[in-house]
Amino acid sequence: MNVLKGTIIQIENSGNISMIGCNIQDQLLKAVIINDTTSENPLNIQSEIELLINESEIAIAKNISGSHSITNQLHCTVKDITKGDVFSRICLDLDGQYLNSLITTESCEKMNLNQGNEVVALVKANEIFLKI
């Protein structure tokens, strides 16, 4: 499980659903949460928070262009690649914080991923968990 440290900079509420915007190394990462209607939301602007992301929920794009529906686009550098027969673990450097992405080795090779490549980590907002 990936853990990123950030600061809450936006909170948008709609009924019992909130979109939480966090500053992670000067990049915006948004997470959707369902609020517990029986208690107050302890999240506040400027609160320090940890964001948890499963490595299988991080897609990687190289030379991204065009429209898509994925809210979170984190600009990273490939730090390391560990290739397996079926899956490869890609370690990404996000300005000193690190993310691991698990993608197929076929995709890794098709994208010609190498250490030092500039890539974009793509994460759907509903695939991020907040640790308060």
Side-chain angles (χ1 to χ4, degrees), residues 24-39:
I24 310 289
Q25 305 301 110
D26 293 325
Q27 296 191 56
L28 179 63
L29 188 65
K30 291 185 176 184
V32 172
I33 63 167
I34 298 174
N35 300 317
D36 179 358
T37 57
T38 62
S39 64

Side-chain angles (χ1 to χ4, degrees), residues 37-64:
T37 57
T38 62
S39 64
E40 271 189 51
N41 187 343
L43 302 175
N44 297 301
I45 301 292
Q46 296 303 316
S47 293
E48 298 295 319
I49 195 159
E50 290 184 339
L51 297 96
L52 309 171
I53 310 167
N54 191 312
E55 60 188 21
S56 63
E57 298 299 339
I58 299 174
I60 296 175
K62 191 175 171 185
N63 304 320
I64 190 170

